[in-house]
DNA sequence: TTGTATGCGTTATCAT
DNA sequence: ATGATAACGCATACAA
């Protein structure tokens, strides 16, 4: 293993100079700096993370806390995890997972936390962490967070449906009291109001068979030229199935737009037009924001809403 | 932060005794041991991973190397990642991700590697790692590995189809030269031979539209009472679609059995009978095997084939 | 069985 | 601007 000392010898300087070239390059003359950099290159010096961590009172580990009781095969969270891991790697950080509330305080220490699935009741838990923390998912309690711009997403979908000349726009929402859902509904409502149209919202739990059942039960009420704006791809898929069961023609007479764009939209048949969340990028951004917060010893980072993207496929008119 | 010294003071012993209680409890008298343990409990002592790592010349980090160029939303890999992370956490290990071959040698050091998606050409790369390594996925080059028992899986599926009285059993395989595919075909072939039936295998690339197209093109050749044993859920879904397009009745006249059981099978309609791989558990086992290998300074661990589970749902007879 | 001294690789403090 | 030294928390070798 190549250490600081080795590099120092090779460059004929002290360990400290090498250390400074790495951490405070401005404090060292250009001449020596180049010497040291050359030495590091020829020896292929890789700093020892453990030693660094020990000296800095750091751990080089970030914990990802998933408070929601998720089905771990849910591609959404998996994509997020992937993005976070990638973002951390870039900075030499590693990742640990916490899926149980009880294990939050236990185990190894970490330099910071990324929390997802936090509900109001969990906020005290988060405060108790006493370490830099970043939340995944909209919230309005002053915690730093990153999320998709949900409102922009449904606004985008609604505008698109209008542009494709669907006359009636119905929103199918998820029956939860969460900020993301309110924002998605708001994006739809605002856009319709701008176009002097009346919103029409139905809420149900987030399963395709729920929306399928709902459409079947109310089929007679939906005229041709209706586009269903859905709060999730799961709901959208159920709607597609119901329309086909009832003999409706997609996309000519009925349009369907989903939300999420994680795997499900691509394997459905016909392929779903959807508002795609940049989930993996969100993960990378979470990592970046948290590491910056750690570097700034816990300074407030604010909120970051990332624009989703409308993916036009086969459930809306060309 | 509570350190060894704090515990030592509290228990009126030296640091070394505390250290021994942790690492070599048999070397310390029961009396002192209990004292120390009490002290650790009252102080809620958490060992400092970085210091431990530095002293042991370890990193407490494992790298997961994904050589395949995967779509990161593929739930399969994500589930695996999740399982590995969980398994590592239990032992205080953290995870780093490597997705690019070039970055394999670079970056922080690690105590060991879990490699997935390795092809024959990658084996030199793996040897070059010079660290304990465990492979995910069948291989027969002497590397330690863990995988689903693919042969048992298709054997299980074939037996099940026979038990449900499907007369003709057709296998749809994936057109790759990989050990897992050979094993899946072997499980099917062996079982049919035991029942004095002739195997019938068709291979294609792993996309639902491929299998859908294939069934459509050959529809006339498939008599009623045929069950399609598929090497993946993707293929199975395409088969289901094609059968329905052609007016076949599932599961009465035609059966379909998939392979994988990761997400796709549940969102399909009708829900798929499938051979479910315990992917997350495989991840945890990979972590466990690798950590054991690290602890045994690289000793051979052998191979581990984990039985999959047949999930009977709506594409086979009750 | 238990305690003392030393080193792991790095960084910060204090000299020069 | 550069270098010597101590310190981070723990584990090993050795001494008692």
């Amino acid at each position: 293993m190549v250490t600081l000392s080795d590099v120092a010898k090779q460059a004929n300087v002290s360990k400290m100079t090498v250390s400074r070239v790495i951490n405070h390059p401005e404090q060292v003359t250009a001449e020596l700096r180049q010497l040291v950099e050359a030495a590091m290159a020829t020896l292929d010096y890789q700093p020892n993370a453990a030693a660094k961590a020990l000296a800095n009172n750091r751990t080089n580990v970030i914990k990802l806390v998933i408070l929601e009781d998720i089905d771990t095969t849910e591609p959404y969270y998996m994509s997020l995890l992937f993005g976070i891991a990638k973002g951390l790697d870039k900075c030499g950080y590693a990742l640990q997972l916490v899926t149980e509330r009880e294990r939050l305080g236990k185990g190894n220490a970490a330099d910071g936390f990324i929390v997802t699935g936090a509900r109001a009741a969990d906020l005290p838990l988060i405060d108790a962490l006493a370490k830099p923390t970043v939340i995944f998912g909209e919230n309005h309690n002053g915690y730093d967070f990153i999320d998709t711009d949900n409102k922009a997403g449904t606004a985008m979908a609604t505008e698109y449906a209008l542009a494709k000349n669907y006359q009636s726009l119905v929103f199918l929402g998820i029956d939860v009291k969460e900020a993301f859902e309110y924002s998605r509904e708001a994006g739809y409502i605002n856009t319709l109001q701008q176009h002097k149209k009346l919103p029409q919202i139905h809420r149900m739990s987030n399963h395709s068979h729920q929306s399928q059942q709902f459409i079947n039960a109310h089929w007679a009420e939906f005229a041709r030229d209706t586009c269903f704006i859905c709060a999730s791809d799961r709901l959208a898929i159920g709607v597609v199935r119901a329309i086909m069961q009832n003999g409706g023609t997609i996309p000519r007479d009925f349009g369907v737009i989903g939300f999420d764009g994680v795997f499900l939209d691509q394997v459905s048949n016909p392929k779903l037009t959807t508002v795609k969340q940049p989930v993996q990028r969100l993960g990378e951004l979470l990592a970046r924001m948290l590491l910056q917060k750690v570097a700034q010893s816990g300074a407030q980072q604010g909120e970051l809403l990332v624009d989703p993207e409308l993916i036009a496929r086969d459930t809306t008119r060309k």
Side-chain angles (χ1 to χ4, degrees), chain A:
Chain A
M1 152 166 266
V2 177
T3 72
L4 266 191
S5 306
D6 299 326
V7 178
K9 256 177 234 160
Q10 171 88 9
N12 273 317
V13 297
S14 76
K15 295 196 301 181
M16 266 323 296
T17 306
V18 180
S19 175
R20 269 195 272 264
V21 168
I22 295 169
N23 299 300
H24 312 283
E26 73 285 356
Q27 294 178 15
V28 81
T29 57
E31 193 185 13
L32 275 192
R33 191 163 56 223
Q34 288 177 7
L35 234 74
V36 170
E37 275 161 357
M40 295 200 299
T42 58
L43 294 179
D44 188 28
Y45 168 68
Q46 304 286 358
N48 181 316
K52 200 181 268 191
L54 181 58
N56 290 326
N57 194 24
R58 288 266 180 75
T59 64
N60 274 358
V61 170
I62 290 297
K63 294 206 186 189
L64 171 62
V65 184
I66 302 184
L67 291 174
E68 213 161 349
D69 195 27
I70 58 155
D71 178 353
T72 56
T73 61
E74 175 69 51
Y76 188 87
Y77 278 94
M78 298 302 115
S79 236
L80 187 74
L81 180 58
F82 204 87
I84 292 173
K86 264 181 102 169
L88 291 179
D89 283 355
K90 276 189 205 148
C91 307
Y93 266 77
L95 178 70
Q96 277 194 292
L97 223 55
V98 182
T99 51
E100 299 156 38
R101 282 182 173 69
E102 312 82 56
R103 293 215 47 192
L104 235 182
K106 306 289 297 173
N108 295 322
D111 293 342
F113 294 84
I114 296 174
V115 178
T116 175
R119 318 191 59 171
D122 295 319
L123 297 182
L125 270 178
I126 295 173
D127 295 329
L129 292 176
K131 283 276 181 184
T133 301
V134 164
I135 310 274
F136 174 59
E138 270 190 61
N139 72 84
H140 305 288
N141 309 293
Y143 293 87
D144 298 329
F145 76 80
I146 294 183
D147 201 347
T148 298
D149 191 334
N150 289 297
K151 197 194 268 185
T154 45
M156 211 178 277
T158 310
E159 288 286 4
Y160 188 81
L162 288 169
K164 294 300 177 186
N165 277 311
Y166 292 101
Q167 292 309 306
S168 168
L169 300 197
V170 177
F171 188 89
L172 265 57
I174 302 172
D175 190 16
V176 290
K177 299 192 193 321
E178 302 279 354
F180 80 87
E181 174 64 21
Y182 295 139
S183 294
R184 291 184 193 175
E185 294 182 9
Y188 162 78
I189 294 172
N190 290 352
T191 308
L192 279 199
Q193 285 177 340
Q194 283 167 23
H195 289 265
K196 317 277 185 213
K197 294 209 166 216
L198 275 180
Q200 195 183 333
I201 298 187
H202 304 279
R203 299 186 190 89
M204 58 207 70
S205 72
N206 188 22
H207 295 291
S208 62
H209 56 89
Q210 287 290 324
S211 54
Q212 185 172 359
Q213 204 172 304
F214 173 83
I215 299 293
N216 279 330
H218 298 261
W219 179 247
E221 304 167 24
F222 302 120
R224 282 186 183 194
D225 257 356
T226 294
C227 185
F228 297 92
I229 316 283
C230 304
S232 77
D233 287 339
R234 292 190 120 91
L235 291 183
I237 281 180
V239 172
V240 168
R241 279 195 204 128
I243 293 174
M244 288 168 67
Q245 276 178 7
N246 288 283
T249 305
I250 299 174
R252 194 192 63 195
D253 298 337
F254 296 92
V256 182
I257 303 181
F259 202 111
D260 283 343
V262 183
F263 190 70
L264 203 49
D265 57 318
Q266 298 166 50
V267 300
S268 72
N269 185 35
K271 291 206 172 64
L272 218 51
T273 293
T274 192
V275 178
K276 183 184 175 68
Q277 296 196 55
V279 184
Q280 196 176 326
R281 202 155 76 80
L282 290 176
E284 295 194 46
L285 290 170
L286 279 165
R288 190 192 300 175
M289 181 186 270
L290 178 57
L291 292 183
Q292 185 165 317
K293 189 168 180 175
V294 168
Q296 299 173 3
S297 45
Q300 189 93 6
Q301 301 292 315
E303 51 191 59
L304 183 56
L305 289 177
V306 183
D307 275 336
E309 184 189 1
L310 188 98
I311 309 279
R313 283 198 276 243
D314 304 336
T315 58
T316 46
R317 295 173 184 149
K318 293 296 168 197

